[in-house]
Amino acid sequence: MITELQFTIEERAAGGPSAETVAAGAKALRAHGCVLLRDVFAADFIAALREELLARHKSFPRQAAPAGSGEVGGKRFLTPLTISGPFHSAQLYANPLVRPILRAVLGPEMVLGALGTVTSLPGAPEQHAHRDGPPLFNQAINRMVTAHAIDLFIPLVEFNDRTGTTRLFPDTHLDLQADPATAAYVDPVIPIGACVLMDYRLFHQGRENRSELIRPLLFAVYHLPWFKDYNNYASTSFLKISDEDYARIPAEHRRLLAWTEHYRSGLY
């Protein structure tokens, strides 16, 4: 089972979650490694992101990967996103309902380290179960430390029995000996507008796509400022933005997107 949180009308009017909601989201992330947040994004915003993605990557309907993509399973591709157009939105990279929960776990110095999509084409088989990154310490220490990196998963179509979903293995983020072959799991139905926060250490896997729809999953990776994922993003920049678009980032979010400067300057 996965903890699900629904934001109230009052929280939306206030432009952020209550202290109780933040505490509940942070507790679920620390204890179980995942939490589902309902009705975070407007349906028309998700539709605009989906349309822009398919416009940028016209090869997907031809069952092919766009340039710069890496295959992460049969008919499943990992692709970096350029922060421009509808993707140049604080609703995406600094969402006021999501960001306080992230900060409660990672702290105020967290940064955005990657933004991209994992797109499963029709007929994509089940992906292997994996962690996005291994625990940083041995078992004794790993159980005592909180996350150093958190994934934000935003489905651009509903994730269900037909399109498939991301299978999650709650509690495996704290157990170095966890075996996904025997661990308990959940296959959440994730409607349009909802999202999932997931500890980087948690086992998960993309389920098969049995529909005729392309299944794009938008992801953002937030992490502590000293962390760099050299396993997944060593050779390709997963924070792409032009100088002109970077100048349009609101001042209050410059610290969050500090890593774009490292990528753009060639430091990483």
Side-chain angles (χ1 to χ4, degrees):
M1 184 175 180
I2 182 172
T3 298
E4 299 186 12
L5 297 179
Q6 179 82 53
F7 298 102
T8 66
I9 295 174
E10 291 76 16
E11 288 174 313
R12 294 178 181 286
S18 67
E20 291 77 14
T21 299
V22 172
K27 180 180 179 180
L29 269 173
R30 293 190 182 104
H32 305 300
C34 52
V35 61
L36 191 154
L37 307 177
R38 290 189 169 274
D39 297 325
V40 173
F41 304 98
D44 58 352
F45 179 62
I46 295 297
L49 297 181
R50 182 174 62 251
E51 290 170 10
E52 175 70 11
L53 178 69
L54 295 180
R56 292 184 187 187
H57 303 314
K58 293 183 172 60
S59 62
F60 280 146
R62 300 196 305 273
Q63 304 282 300
S69 294
E71 191 165 0
V72 288
K75 297 186 176 182
R76 182 177 282 109
F77 303 101
L78 178 71
T79 310
L81 273 177
T82 300
I83 302 175
S84 62
F87 295 103
H88 194 305
S89 171
Q91 281 293 317
L92 174 60
Y93 57 75
N95 186 274
L97 294 172
V98 177
R99 189 178 182 185
I101 299 173
L102 288 165
R103 286 168 60 95
V105 177
L106 293 174
E109 298 303 309
M110 72 173 189
V111 294
L112 176 65
L115 183 69
T117 58
V118 176
T119 303
S120 301
L121 302 181
E126 184 171 85
Q127 189 184 33
H128 66 286
H130 62 285
R131 307 179 197 262
D132 278 350
L136 301 179
F137 308 104
N138 63 31
Q139 178 69 3
I141 298 177
N142 185 62
R143 285 190 174 278
M144 295 188 292
V145 298
T146 191
H148 60 277
I150 294 173
D151 287 302
L152 167 61
F153 291 157
I154 307 170
L156 299 186
V157 299
E158 179 175 281
F159 280 16
N160 54 41
D161 289 342
R162 288 289 297 164
T163 58
T165 188
T166 299
R167 174 170 286 178
L168 304 170
F169 297 81
D171 306 333
T172 58
H173 63 307
L174 299 179
D175 186 0
L176 295 184
Q177 281 73 52
D179 181 357
T182 57
Y185 61 82
V186 60
D187 290 340
V189 172
I190 311 176
I192 290 292
C195 63
V196 168
L197 294 177
M198 187 192 78
D199 191 302
Y200 221 54
R201 301 167 291 179
L202 193 80
F203 271 111
H204 61 289
Q205 67 183 136
R207 299 286 285 150
E208 66 268 30
N209 183 355
R210 298 186 292 147
S211 75
E212 298 303 314
L213 298 175
I214 295 169
R215 187 182 88 213
L217 173 66
L218 177 61
F219 71 86
V221 180
Y222 299 85
H223 56 73
L224 296 174
W226 47 260
F227 176 70
K228 161 69 174 165
D229 186 349
Y230 287 99
N231 290 323
N232 294 313
Y233 310 121
S235 59
T236 302
S237 168
F238 265 71
L239 273 182
K240 297 176 178 288
I241 190 170
S242 68
D243 290 341
E244 180 181 3
D245 279 320
Y246 182 75
R248 294 174 48 229
I249 297 292
E252 64 267 29
H253 300 318
R254 292 284 177 88
R255 178 68 184 82
L256 179 65
L257 273 72
W259 273 65
T260 59
E261 296 191 53
H262 295 308
Y263 281 122
R264 288 160 62 244
S265 65
L267 292 176
Y268 293 93

